[in-house]
Amino acid sequence: MKPINAMKRYGAKIAAAGAAVTLSTGAFAQSTGIDSILDAVSLSGIETKVVAACLLIVGIAMVFKGPDLAKRIIRKV
């Protein structure tokens, strides 16, 4: 049997069994300590800082490359 056919055949059975287990244990689910810690961390501030740092790095690189690019453009004109 090909692996894809096996996944199709047994995947439906596993998904159905998993859904039944989730439905039966969903009422008793509790968050652990690590889950609450990870939920409390917000990445929006970090994302803003990383984007600002990237823009700063690109800006500095353009400042250093600017005169060389201007020379090339002037030579071609």
Side-chain angles (χ1 to χ4, degrees):
M1 185 181 297
K2 292 185 179 181
I4 294 176
N5 291 338
M7 286 189 291
K8 286 180 184 177
R9 182 174 180 187
Y10 296 112
K13 292 179 183 178
I14 293 170
V21 169
T22 303
L23 291 176
S24 65
T25 60
F28 302 107
Q30 296 178 351
S31 65
T32 60
I34 191 71
D35 289 335
S36 60
I37 291 171
L38 290 176
D39 289 340
V41 174
S42 174
L43 296 178
S44 62
I46 296 171
E47 179 184 358
T48 305
K49 291 177 184 176
V50 169
V51 169
C54 290
L55 288 175
L56 181 66
I57 291 169
V58 169
I60 291 171
M62 291 303 292
V63 166
F64 284 116
K65 291 288 182 177
D68 294 334
L69 293 174
K71 283 182 188 177
R72 287 184 194 169
I73 292 171
I74 291 171
R75 268 189 259 154
K76 289 185 179 183
V77 173

